[in-house]
Amino acid sequence: MSKSQVDAMSNFINGEILKKDALCTLTTMELEKDTTVCATGLVKDAISRLNASTEMLADEMKQVDYDPVPLTKPPGVVRKEIQDKGKLLLQVLWILIQLVPAILYAIYVKVFPPRGKSLRGKVALVTGAGRGLGRGLALGLSREGCKLACADIDMVGCEETVRMISEEGGVAKAYRANVAKPNEIDTMRRNIEAELGSVAIVVNNASLIVSHRIDDDKEGADRQLTGVVNVNLLSHFYMTRAFLPTMRKNKDGHIVAIASMSSFAGLAYSSVYASCKWAVRGLMESLREELKREGEKNVKLTCVHPYFINTSAEYTSNWNIRFPELTIDEVVDATIHGIKQDHFSVSIPEDMYYNIHILKLLPRYIQDQFLDVFYAKISVLSKDEVEKTAANHIINKSLDISS
């Protein structure tokens, strides 16, 4: 068998020739006589490569879901009518009749606020109690007579908060928990119930602020994003799921979420933080609707929206804001007042809430001019600066523990 014929046979087996090629001129006798060994080897080689390709294809198919998506036939175009038009009209009229008395009562309560409910003897859990606003809230609730469960991933700061409460004659215990990890929350809940009793007030305060650009590609940007979302948003879901059932069973409970005034407006270079605060407000609004539909009147909710708070020099050093930041005491007093009054929404300062909503009624370019005048700006930190922040340290600890 000539070399050209061997090459032609190889090409044929690999599917690379047409019928007019040299292999087509071979006779059966020539093949049987001269090429038995050669052809067998080529065929075996081709089969081997085919098997390898089949195995690779099978592996790829295991990684891809090829199940077809079921298609549903779109509904026909049907014009729907308003349901119960007569009943709707009566319901709107009834709301309008109640409107004036409701406004007058709200003004009266504002001028002559009631004392509100007593918090004495209740077990209150504050997350992020090792520093800043969390420490302030723990001290404030202790002064109202609550027994405090102070939770934080930083036990040094948490123990310091417990020591401060104890020096004032209060009752408090420190609990180490990564609030971004559900099983640690469950363990903490069981320990609190065994040592202090059922939790009646949960203050979801733990929060992290990291300045960044939205398209930041520096090393660690994705890690920071994940860490902030885990603490600032997902922890609210996990904490609510852990403690709400017992509150409903005991017919006594109050869940407090520390959101932010940025949950009503954007915040440049803090998009992850602001997005989480928007989501927290949405969570609390949705939870309120769920409890209302189920007739649950014993569990109360409060969503707090403070302006910038002077919790540490680390944060204020890269702020450029027209109005001075709030003090921790201002936010603590307003939050505890809201809890005692069972207010669902607490804005600090209160007038800023109305100003923001009125501003949103204006044309966008007018809104932009107002925001340029009454500015609140956060500068972007460098990679080295971010790595030195307490927030970055907590993110690393949180992700390492939850991995």
Side-chain angles (χ1 to χ4, degrees):
M1 186 177 188
S2 65
K3 183 179 184 303
S4 62
Q5 290 173 331
V6 172
D7 293 339
M9 177 176 286
S10 177
N11 291 338
F12 177 80
I13 292 172
N14 288 303
E16 298 172 357
I17 65 167
L18 300 175
K19 288 184 179 180
K20 63 181 181 179
D21 286 335
L23 178 63
C24 299
T25 64
L26 292 173
T27 66
T28 304
M29 291 293 292
E30 289 175 319
L31 286 172
E32 292 178 352
K33 181 178 180 181
D34 300 317
T35 67
T36 301
V37 176
C38 180
T40 301
L42 289 172
V43 169
K44 286 182 177 179
D45 181 66
I47 292 174
S48 176
R49 278 180 284 175
L50 178 61
N51 289 337
S53 299
T54 304
E55 290 175 1
M56 291 176 60
L57 181 60
D59 290 339
E60 291 176 0
M61 291 180 68
K62 289 179 182 178
Q63 300 174 16
V64 180
D65 184 5
Y66 284 96
D67 293 338
V69 177
L71 299 178
T72 57
K73 185 178 180 181
V77 179
V78 179
R79 183 178 179 83
K80 294 185 177 181
E81 299 291 337
I82 298 174
Q83 297 181 18
D84 302 324
K85 292 181 181 179
K87 184 178 179 181
L88 174 62
L89 178 60
L90 292 175
Q91 289 172 325
V92 172
L93 287 174
W94 175 239
I95 293 173
L96 293 175
I97 290 171
Q98 298 178 82
L99 184 59
V100 173
I103 293 175
L104 293 174
Y105 178 73
I107 294 173
Y108 173 80
V109 170
K110 193 68 180 175
V111 177
F112 305 101
R115 291 184 60 186
K117 65 186 181 184
S118 173
L119 306 182
R120 184 163 298 278
K122 296 182 181 294
V123 177
L125 166 62
V126 179
T127 64
R131 62 195 181 109
L133 179 59
R135 174 175 289 175
L137 288 168
L139 287 165
L141 288 169
S142 175
R143 291 163 188 159
E144 291 290 329
C146 293
K147 293 186 289 185
L148 262 297
C150 301
D152 207 302
I153 200 171
D154 174 20
M155 284 303 288
V156 175
C158 200
E159 292 284 4
E160 176 65 15
T161 301
V162 169
R163 184 191 63 78
M164 295 170 69
I165 292 173
S166 299
E167 288 180 350
E168 294 184 357
V171 177
K173 287 189 71 67
Y175 297 89
R176 178 172 182 168
N178 176 8
V179 293
K181 192 172 182 183
N183 64 341
E184 291 196 19
I185 293 174
D186 288 335
T187 299
M188 175 179 66
R189 176 184 57 80
R190 290 192 296 269
N191 291 337
I192 295 172
E193 290 175 351
E195 296 171 351
L196 297 175
S198 296
V199 176
I201 302 172
V202 170
V203 182
N204 290 316
N205 163 76
S207 185
L208 301 171
I209 303 176
V210 177
S211 64
H212 62 94
R213 290 182 175 82
I214 193 135
D215 59 346
D216 213 338
D217 60 353
K218 66 187 178 192
E219 184 180 354
D222 288 345
R223 184 178 177 84
Q224 291 167 6
L225 186 153
T226 301
V228 172
V229 172
N230 285 349
V231 174
N232 291 17
L233 174 57
L234 295 183
S235 68
H236 288 257
F237 284 90
Y238 301 148
M239 291 287 291
T240 300
R241 288 176 177 176
F243 292 94
L244 179 59
T246 302
M247 291 181 176
R248 301 181 79 163
K249 180 181 177 181
N250 295 340
K251 297 183 179 180
D252 180 28
H254 204 128
I255 298 174
V256 183
I258 305 299
S260 167
M261 199 62 73
S262 66
S263 65
F264 299 107
L267 189 60
Y269 305 130
S270 294
S271 57
V272 178
Y273 174 84
S275 298
C276 289
K277 296 305 183 180
W278 280 70
V280 166
R281 183 164 62 88
L283 165 62
M284 295 297 283
E285 294 276 3
S286 300
L287 180 57
R288 182 176 181 274
E289 285 299 307
E290 286 187 23
L291 296 179
K292 185 177 72 172
R293 287 196 179 192
E294 296 172 2
E296 178 56 71
K297 298 181 180 180
N298 299 305
V299 179
K300 307 300 181 180
L301 306 175
T302 297
C303 192
V304 185
H305 310 100
Y307 180 63
F308 290 87
I309 311 170
N310 185 358
T311 56
S312 72
E314 177 182 301
Y315 293 136
T316 58
S317 61
N318 65 320
W319 292 350
N320 180 17
I321 53 179
R322 189 121 209 187
F323 294 102
E325 61 271 10
L326 301 169
T327 65
I328 291 176
D329 288 341
E330 287 178 296
V331 179
V332 169
D333 291 344
T335 300
I336 292 178
H337 176 75
I339 295 172
K340 295 174 69 174
Q341 299 293 330
D342 287 334
H343 289 166
F344 173 70
S345 181
V346 175
S347 297
I348 315 168
E350 188 175 10
D351 62 319
M352 189 170 288
Y353 170 86
Y354 301 104
N355 294 336
I356 288 176
H357 283 76
I358 292 172
L359 182 63
K360 288 182 178 295
L361 299 175
L362 303 177
R364 193 71 195 195
Y365 72 96
I366 297 295
Q367 293 184 40
D368 290 340
Q369 292 182 53
F370 266 100
L371 294 175
D372 288 340
V373 173
F374 303 102
Y375 53 82
K377 302 176 182 179
I378 296 179
S379 59
V380 181
L381 300 180
S382 67
K383 177 184 174 182
D384 292 338
E385 290 173 326
V386 168
E387 289 179 350
K388 296 176 183 178
T389 63
N392 188 65
H393 176 66
I394 294 172
I395 287 171
N396 290 332
K397 290 180 68 175
S398 174
L399 292 176
D400 290 342
I401 291 175
S402 61
S403 60

